[in-house]
């Protein structure tokens, strides 16, 4: 007798009702552990800590021991609900209305977790003797500092022989409808803080002061109008955004002694951290040669740019999405950062999940039909993966 497909709706409702605001576990990992272990997954709860950061609970679950090994990576932690009174339905009640499930994490990303869990359970029930392994890497630290989550779980997986051959991250990748976008890479992120020291003085006697503002303004104008690159086959041109310009001066008749600015560069694979640091240093040197000043530069590395080149794995997922949704997905590298930036150091990785219109918003929600269709896409990906030669 054929097994009845698992319905992801109650799974998602149960997960939403776990108030797992980062870094709190909130019962979400316990729920998943109980669910997956019931169906033969061997689950490991992993708690990591680092001085000055909160302890974080994570989970790794695996069915099977052989290859090929497909891993689903995701997170059960969510951002705070904001002003709860602004929600149409309580943010952790998982109410259903007009075909939608409302709640914090409905799309980012408990919906994907529920959908993949349902698909994985159905697969191992119907193909218990399949060749290979299916696993889950679930963190409670994606919306937080991302220090005690996926990074350290991957280190543990490597030390214990659990590195997968391929990985799908369940971030909500689609824009207008399910199936329109697969993310096969991400731009890099590098932030800078620049300070120029001068000499304070009276505005009526500017020749007796050393005003740092024109120096910094010239620098900011120079970098803000620069063309970093023209982009490439998979990436749009790199961008630079100035996020702060501050002199800390409330007085209108005083020339300040210091001016500071911050900016962020989102870059393609045309660049790396070191090349961009060198470019900024060269730009500072050019302004210093013109206008002088004492400059200080600091850089904070966010994530490096990466790409999973289209090939058999990307093609398999793309085909599965099109067969289930009728949409040929665009291969994209847009958006901010995700935990895929850590996974890419271990195996090929891509991101696919539902539409992202309401992520982090009041009244975050997912259509029930979309949730079930997401599970159907994941089910087809799993079935094709373990029947294909990648």
């Amino acid at each position: 007798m054929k097994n009845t497909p698992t319905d992801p709706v109650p799974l998602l409702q149960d997960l939403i009702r776990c108030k797992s605001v980062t870094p709190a576990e909130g019962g979400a990992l316990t729920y998943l552990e109980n669910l997956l272990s019931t169906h033969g997954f061997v689950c490991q709860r992993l708690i990591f800590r680092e001085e000055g950061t909160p302890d974080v609970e994570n989970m790794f679950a695996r069915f099977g021991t052989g290859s090929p090994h497909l891993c689903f990576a995701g997170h059960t932690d969510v951002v705070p609900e904001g002003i709860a009174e602004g929600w149409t339905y309580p943010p952790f009640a998982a109410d259903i209305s007009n075909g939608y499930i409302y709640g914090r994490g409905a799309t980012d990303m408990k919906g994907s977790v529920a959908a993949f869990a349902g698909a994985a359970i159905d697969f191992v029930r119907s193909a218990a003797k399949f060749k290979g392994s299916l696993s889950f890497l679930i963190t409670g630290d994606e919306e937080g500092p991302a220090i005690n989550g996926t990074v350290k779980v991957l280190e543990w997986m490597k030390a214990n022989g659990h590195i997968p051959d391929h990985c799908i991250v369940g971030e909500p990748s689609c824009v207008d409808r399910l199936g329109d976008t697969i993310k096969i890479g991400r731009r890099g992120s590098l932030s800078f803080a620049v300070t120029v020291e001068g000499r304070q003085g009276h505005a009526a006697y500017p020749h007796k002061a050393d005003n740092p503002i024109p120096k910094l303004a010239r620098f900011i104008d120079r970098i803000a109008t620069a063309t970093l690159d023209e982009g490439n086959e998979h990436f749009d041109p790199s961008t630079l955004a100035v996020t702060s310009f501050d002199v800390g001066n409330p007085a209108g008749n005083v020339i300040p002694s210091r001016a500071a600015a911050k900016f962020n560069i989102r870059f393609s694979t045309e660049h790396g951290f070191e090349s961009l640091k060198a470019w900024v240093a060269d730009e500072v040197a050019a302004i210093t040669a013109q206008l002088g000043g004492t400059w200080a530069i600091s850089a904070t590395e966010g994530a490096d740019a990466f790409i999973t080149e289209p090939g058999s794995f990307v093609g398999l997922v793309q085909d599965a999405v099109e067969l289930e949704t009728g949409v040929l997905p665009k291969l994209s590298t847009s958006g901010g950062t995700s935990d895929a930036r850590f996974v890419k150091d271990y195996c090929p990785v891509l991101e696919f999940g539902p539409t992202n219109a309401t992520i982090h918003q009041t009244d975050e929600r997912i259509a029930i039909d979309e949730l079930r269709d997401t599970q159907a896409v994941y089910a087809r990906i799993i079935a094709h993966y373990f029947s294909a030669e990648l």
Side-chain angles (χ1 to χ4, degrees):
M1 187 172 106
K2 189 175 180 180
N3 290 318
T4 302
T6 301
D7 187 358
V9 172
L11 303 187
L12 177 54
Q13 287 182 292
D14 288 342
L15 285 171
I16 289 173
R17 289 168 184 150
C18 297
K19 192 172 181 179
S20 51
V21 177
T22 192
E25 185 269 335
L29 293 177
T30 299
Y31 175 82
L32 274 178
E33 182 178 6
N34 291 336
L35 175 69
L36 294 174
S37 61
T38 298
H39 293 90
F41 284 81
V42 177
C43 301
Q44 303 274 352
R45 289 288 284 276
L46 304 165
I47 301 175
F48 296 111
R49 54 181 56 89
E50 190 169 306
E51 186 176 354
T53 63
D55 292 359
V56 173
E57 294 193 50
N58 307 276
M59 186 190 76
F60 177 75
R62 183 171 179 174
F63 188 101
T65 58
S67 294
H69 176 185
L70 176 64
C71 180
F72 174 86
H75 63 92
T76 52
D77 63 318
V78 298
V79 297
E81 68 271 29
I83 301 173
E85 292 76 15
W87 287 67
T88 304
Y89 304 97
F92 298 102
D95 286 330
I96 293 177
S97 178
N98 296 319
Y100 288 85
I101 303 173
Y102 284 75
R104 177 57 81 224
T107 52
D108 189 14
M109 57 175 291
K110 290 180 176 180
S112 297
V113 173
F116 202 94
I121 289 168
D122 290 345
F123 181 77
V124 300
R125 285 195 305 178
S126 62
K129 295 183 180 180
F130 75 97
K131 178 186 175 182
S133 302
L134 193 55
S135 69
F136 288 78
L137 187 175
I138 307 296
T139 182
D141 191 31
E142 198 274 345
E143 300 290 6
I147 293 173
N148 293 319
T150 298
V151 172
K152 292 184 178 177
V153 176
L154 285 164
E155 292 172 353
W156 177 91
M157 289 167 63
K158 182 177 181 179
N160 289 275
H162 291 299
I163 292 300
D165 296 298
H166 299 89
C167 181
I168 295 173
V169 176
E171 288 293 341
S173 62
C174 298
V175 180
D176 297 314
R177 59 172 295 186
L178 181 69
D180 65 14
T181 306
I182 295 171
K183 292 190 184 294
I184 59 170
R186 292 277 189 162
R187 297 180 298 170
S189 175
L190 181 60
S191 296
F192 288 88
V194 178
T195 302
V196 187
E197 301 287 347
R199 185 172 65 254
Q200 184 174 314
H202 197 294
Y205 306 99
H207 58 287
K208 295 184 178 181
D210 181 11
N211 194 337
I213 297 176
K215 300 177 178 63
L216 186 59
R218 183 79 62 86
F219 169 75
I220 290 297
D221 178 65
R222 184 180 175 108
I223 64 169
T225 56
T227 298
L228 293 169
D229 58 64
E230 301 295 338
N232 57 34
E233 181 183 2
H234 298 299
F235 288 87
D236 292 332
S238 301
T239 61
L240 185 152
V242 180
T243 58
S244 174
F245 193 112
D246 183 34
V247 296
N249 180 21
N253 62 347
V254 175
I255 294 171
S257 62
R258 175 182 296 172
K262 295 179 180 179
F263 57 95
N264 175 263
I265 300 175
R266 296 299 170 111
F267 59 94
S268 71
T269 48
E270 299 295 308
H271 303 281
F273 293 136
E274 296 310 314
S275 66
L276 288 170
K277 290 177 187 177
W279 174 73
V280 170
D282 288 344
E283 294 297 302
V284 167
I287 299 301
T288 304
Q290 294 175 16
L291 302 177
T294 301
W295 297 71
I297 313 168
S298 65
T300 302
E301 297 179 0
D304 207 353
F306 76 93
I307 185 76
T308 297
E309 291 289 346
S312 56
F313 176 55
V314 173
L316 181 150
V317 174
Q318 199 170 23
D319 290 346
V321 172
E322 185 178 17
L323 285 169
E324 283 297 331
T325 66
V327 179
L328 178 63
K330 172 186 176 183
L331 302 180
S332 171
T333 57
S334 64
T337 60
S338 78
D339 279 1
R341 70 189 190 272
F342 306 128
V343 180
K344 56 91 175 171
D345 293 329
Y346 295 86
C347 70
V349 58
L350 56 77
E351 301 172 46
F352 179 77
T355 52
N356 54 29
T358 65
I359 61 174
H360 292 203
Q361 294 184 11
T362 298
D363 281 346
E364 183 178 350
R365 60 196 178 274
I366 188 170
I368 289 175
D369 288 345
E370 182 178 7
L371 177 65
R372 289 174 174 155
D373 289 345
T374 301
Q375 177 169 313
V377 172
Y378 285 150
R380 188 176 286 272
I381 291 170
I382 294 169
H384 284 193
Y385 184 86
F386 289 106
S387 64
E389 292 293 334
L390 293 180

